């Protein structure tokens, strides 16, 4: 593995190159120092090209010699082409773990933010570090200080990749990590199926569920330095929230995942990482989802087993218990229609959690308790019964899985097809499409 750094020989680029060299030394990787000359120069001849090439190679070698302190390995590359394309291609060839570019450090217009840097972030298959202030990272890489990291955290694959990189940083040196999650309160309440409160934008129950799930996504962080989750509800843009928090927390580095959207998708959704690169007062590490290559085996501790109490619906319950290890939990769930003819608009905010209140709920709960396999207790598996009201069954199932922090949803499919499926729909299919959790479907026997 290696680190690729694009240089234009400017003073700012040289400052960034020194930080890149120290980081390469810290990680034990080779630093590839790359300078790119562009096509289209006026008055080019073979003689002038060769003269220019010798001059540029001499400057590259001089810069590399300055960076080769101790046992730091530096290789030089003089390439011709479009800078962003060359850097990304070279990173792929040398299997780079990181591309480093300096913020506004290049003299040529194409190297400026919104041009080369933006396109490198957009197309690189490895993380891209945009250095605005090199000294904090350089001092951290030398082991002289702790690094203050602001991590943009959500429930997307790019965010998972960003978390993996923060873990890597903490194995290299002490990092204080603020994992910030910006969200809209109404969306969070719908996610967990919790009613909105007229007193506050976010209820304590939703905050607790968000903190639990985000902390789980962080996992066990290696290394030293405090780690905490910062919840930021509001209607502002996520990029604006992260940039403001970076200033408030005096962060040295912002780490964000990037979807690398293009075309209409980028126009419609925008690019949080691109906005942060433009506006951040500190260095930014942009991590694409493809940057994570290590596959880990997820642990299943909580399984949600929804049932409509039909023979087919009940058949999935025993499969739910079969995938839970000792010490795990199974949540048996049944969804009732909204009580009292509640209008559909407000029905989605009915509280689906808490103790059983009505005789109907108590009766259904008793039926569910009777479906618990006798060997569950012997295996050390606990069971919790949930009877909730929901305007839409599939939505209530997905909300319960989020609220209860379940690892898997296990439910039966009636196996409908053709006109029957078109007329009656498929709860299983809707759960598959709408839930963020893995779904295990059990076919009728």
């Amino acid at each position: 593995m290696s680190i690729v750094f694009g240089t234009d020989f400017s003073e700012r680029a040289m400052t960034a190159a020194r930080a890149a060299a120290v980081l390469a030394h810290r990680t034990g990787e080779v630093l590839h120092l790359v300078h790119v000359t562009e096509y289209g120069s006026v008055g080019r001849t073979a003689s002038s090209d060769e003269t220019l090439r010798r001059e540029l190679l001499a400057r590259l070698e001089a810069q590399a010699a300055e960076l080769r302190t101790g046992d730091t390995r530096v290789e030089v590359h003089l390439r011709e082409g479009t800078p962003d394309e060359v850097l990304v291609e070279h990173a792929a060839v040398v299997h780079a773990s990181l591309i480093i570019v300096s913020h506004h450090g290049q003299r040529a217009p194409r190297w400026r933010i919104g041009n080369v840097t933006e396109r490198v972030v957009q197309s690189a298959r490895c993380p891209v570090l945009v250095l605005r202030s090199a000294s904090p990272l350089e001092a951290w890489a030398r082991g002289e200080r702790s690094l203050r990291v602001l991590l943009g955290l959500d429930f997307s694959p790019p965010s998972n990749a960003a978390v993996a990189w923060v873990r890597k940083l903490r194995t290299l040196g002490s990092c204080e990590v603020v994992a910030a999650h910006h969200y809209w309160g109404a969306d969070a309440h719908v996610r967990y199926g919790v009613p909105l409160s007229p007193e506050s934008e976010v209820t304590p129950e939703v905050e607790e569920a968000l903190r639990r799930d985000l902390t789980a996504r962080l996992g066990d962080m290696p290394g030293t330095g405090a780690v905490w989750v910062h919840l930021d509800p509001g209607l502002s843009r996520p990029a604006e929230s992260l940039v403001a928090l970076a200033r408030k927390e005096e962060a040295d580095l912002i780490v964000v995942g990037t979807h690398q959207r293009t075309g209409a998708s980028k126009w419609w959704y925008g690019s949080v990482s691109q906005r942060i690169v433009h506006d951040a007062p500190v260095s930014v590490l942009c991590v694409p989802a493809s940057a994570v290559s290590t596959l880990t085996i997820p642990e299943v501790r909580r399984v949600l087993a929804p049932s409509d109490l039909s023979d087919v619906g009940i058949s999935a319950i025993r499969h739910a218990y079969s995938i839970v290890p000792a010490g795990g939990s199974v949540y048996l769930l049944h969804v009732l229609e909204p009580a009292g003819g509640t209008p559909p608009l407000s029905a989605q905010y009915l509280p689906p959690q808490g103790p059983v209140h009505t005789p109907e709920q108590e009766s259904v709960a008793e039926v569910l308790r009777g479906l618990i396999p006798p060997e569950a207790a012997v295996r050390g598996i606990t069971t919790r019964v949930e009877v909730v009201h929901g305007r839409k069954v599939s939505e209530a199932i997905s909300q319960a899985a989020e609220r209860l922090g379940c690892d898997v949803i296990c439910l039966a499919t009636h196996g409908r097809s053709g006109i029957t499926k078109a007329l009656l729909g498929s709860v299983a299919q809707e759960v598959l499409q709408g839930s963020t959790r893995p779904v295990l479907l059990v076919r009728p026997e």
Side-chain angles (χ1 to χ4, degrees):
M1 300 296 283
S2 56
I3 294 175
V4 171
F5 179 79
T7 181
D8 66 352
F9 306 122
S10 67
E11 182 178 347
R12 190 183 294 265
M14 189 61 206
T15 301
R18 283 191 287 268
V22 174
L23 184 58
H25 181 267
R26 183 76 175 185
T27 59
E29 296 175 306
V30 178
L31 176 63
H32 290 260
L33 197 62
V34 182
H35 178 77
V36 185
T37 59
E38 296 193 64
Y39 293 108
S41 300
V42 178
R44 290 177 55 177
T45 65
S47 176
S48 64
D49 280 357
E50 183 59 30
T51 301
L52 179 61
R53 178 177 177 80
R54 285 198 300 268
E55 291 176 355
L56 293 175
L57 277 174
R59 297 186 69 179
L60 270 174
E61 288 292 353
Q63 191 172 33
E66 184 177 339
L67 299 176
R68 291 187 183 110
T69 56
D71 56 352
T72 303
R73 295 172 293 168
V74 182
E75 296 183 6
V76 299
H77 306 271
L78 180 60
R79 301 281 301 275
E80 188 170 356
T82 304
D84 57 285
E85 294 177 0
V86 170
L87 287 177
V88 171
E89 290 170 2
H90 189 80
V93 169
V94 300
H95 304 290
S97 63
L98 184 66
I99 298 174
I100 301 179
V101 292
S102 59
H103 186 281
H104 286 306
Q106 291 77 16
R107 294 188 295 261
R110 289 181 59 83
W111 282 88
R112 292 179 185 156
I113 291 296
N115 293 285
V116 167
T117 300
E118 179 182 329
R119 290 194 292 270
V120 170
V121 170
Q122 181 67 33
S123 58
R125 306 306 293 171
C126 64
V128 179
L129 174 60
V130 183
L131 275 177
R132 182 184 287 268
S133 177
S135 56
L137 276 166
E138 188 173 353
W140 167 77
R142 294 186 188 279
E144 298 169 357
R145 53 161 293 182
S146 181
L147 192 69
R148 293 184 63 81
V149 177
L150 176 60
L151 167 65
L153 185 62
D154 57 30
F155 298 97
S156 68
S159 179
N160 292 341
V163 170
W165 252 84
V166 169
R167 289 198 186 101
K168 179 177 180 178
L169 290 174
R170 286 175 60 90
T171 63
L172 299 174
S174 176
C175 296
E176 299 173 20
V177 180
V178 180
H181 179 68
H182 180 77
Y183 64 102
W184 186 27
D187 281 347
H189 282 80
V190 171
R191 176 189 181 95
Y192 293 105
V194 176
L196 291 168
S197 170
E199 288 82 22
S200 62
E201 183 178 0
V202 184
T203 61
E205 182 178 2
V206 165
E207 283 191 344
E208 182 181 352
L210 272 174
R211 195 175 298 278
R212 176 203 66 205
D213 290 347
L214 292 168
T215 301
R217 295 185 87 84
L218 289 175
D220 295 328
M221 282 284 178
T224 60
V227 180
W228 67 94
V229 173
H230 175 85
L231 298 179
D232 182 28
L235 298 178
S236 63
R237 295 176 182 271
E240 294 173 357
S241 172
L242 282 174
V243 169
L245 187 60
R247 290 192 173 96
K248 180 181 177 182
E249 295 292 336
E250 298 181 341
D252 301 313
L253 175 68
I254 301 176
V255 181
V256 291
T258 173
H259 290 273
Q260 296 183 313
R261 295 189 176 103
T262 58
S265 176
K266 182 178 179 181
W267 177 84
W268 182 259
Y269 293 103
S271 172
V272 174
S273 58
Q274 178 183 327
R275 193 73 261 160
I276 291 174
V277 167
H278 273 275
D279 299 338
V282 297
S283 300
V284 180
L285 176 63
C286 299
V287 188
S290 57
V292 175
S293 58
T294 303
L295 298 178
T296 58
I297 300 176
E299 185 178 19
V300 176
R301 302 292 299 175
R302 296 182 174 191
V303 175
L304 180 68
S307 176
D308 60 3
L309 301 182
S310 66
D311 290 341
V312 173
I314 291 173
S315 67
I317 291 178
R318 59 192 181 91
H319 289 279
Y321 283 92
S322 72
I323 62 175
V324 177
S329 301
V330 171
Y331 294 81
L332 301 182
L333 174 74
H334 182 75
V335 182
L336 298 171
E337 293 294 324
T342 306
L345 184 60
S346 58
Q348 63 177 315
Y349 297 114
L350 281 172
Q353 77 289 354
V356 174
H357 294 293
T358 68
E360 181 184 17
Q361 286 177 297
E362 180 56 52
S363 175
V364 173
E366 192 60 34
V367 173
L368 288 174
R369 294 188 191 101
L371 300 177
I372 301 173
E375 61 266 35
V378 177
R379 293 189 181 186
I381 301 172
T382 60
T383 304
R384 177 174 166 179
V385 170
E386 294 273 323
V387 181
V388 303
H389 289 101
R391 176 177 59 88
K392 191 174 183 180
V393 174
S394 59
E395 191 175 79
I397 290 172
S398 297
Q399 290 172 339
E402 297 292 337
R403 187 177 64 257
L404 300 171
C406 293
D407 304 303
V408 175
I409 301 172
C410 178
L411 76 164
T413 172
H414 288 266
R416 298 190 182 101
S417 61
I419 189 65
T420 305
K421 181 179 178 181
L423 292 174
L424 300 179
S426 169
V427 170
Q429 181 181 2
E430 291 173 352
V431 172
L432 272 173
Q433 293 174 339
S435 177
T436 62
R437 310 279 170 157
V439 179
L440 171 63
L441 296 180
V442 179
R443 296 184 62 83
E445 298 178 354

